[in-house]
Amino acid sequence: MGIVSTIERALTRESNRSDETAETGTKSTGAYWCDDCNVRVRNVDVEAEGLDRDDEGTPVCPDCGTSMRFERSHADGCAC
Ligand SMILES: [Zn+2]
């Protein structure tokens, strides 16, 4: 089944992870917001959500069609 193989792949990937830099490469660095609709899509989910992009490559809101505002995630900013 597709779901099982997806989980297996995720688990395999988890155990195969050898360096930390690879992890940050796949992590969400922020999210796109539509202030009018209160819609939030993580930047790593834009493709999965199938959002259209404007001429500059900025995802547009699926509800109202305006360009969304990018906001960096503060959770990833720890430098300790
Ligand atoms: Zn909107």
Side-chain angles (χ1 to χ4, degrees), residues 6-73:
T6 301
I7 294 172
E8 279 179 354
R9 205 173 302 141
L11 291 174
T12 305
R13 191 170 167 175
E14 199 76 26
S15 56
N16 281 352
R17 195 170 59 208
S18 54
D19 60 349
E20 297 296 318
T21 53
E23 184 185 4
T24 52
T26 58
K27 231 174 168 184
S28 172
T29 55
Y32 288 96
W33 283 90
C34 177
D35 294 319
D36 291 342
C37 307
N38 229 16
V39 172
R40 175 182 177 274
V41 179
R42 293 191 306 156
N43 66 327
V44 293
D45 289 337
V46 168
E47 301 297 332
E49 295 281 342
L51 298 187
D52 291 330
R53 292 176 183 269
D54 67 11
D55 294 339
E56 296 176 350
T58 305
V60 298
C61 174
D63 289 348
C64 67
T66 54
S67 299
M68 300 174 84
R69 177 174 59 84
F70 184 72
E71 183 177 273
R72 286 192 63 86
S73 167

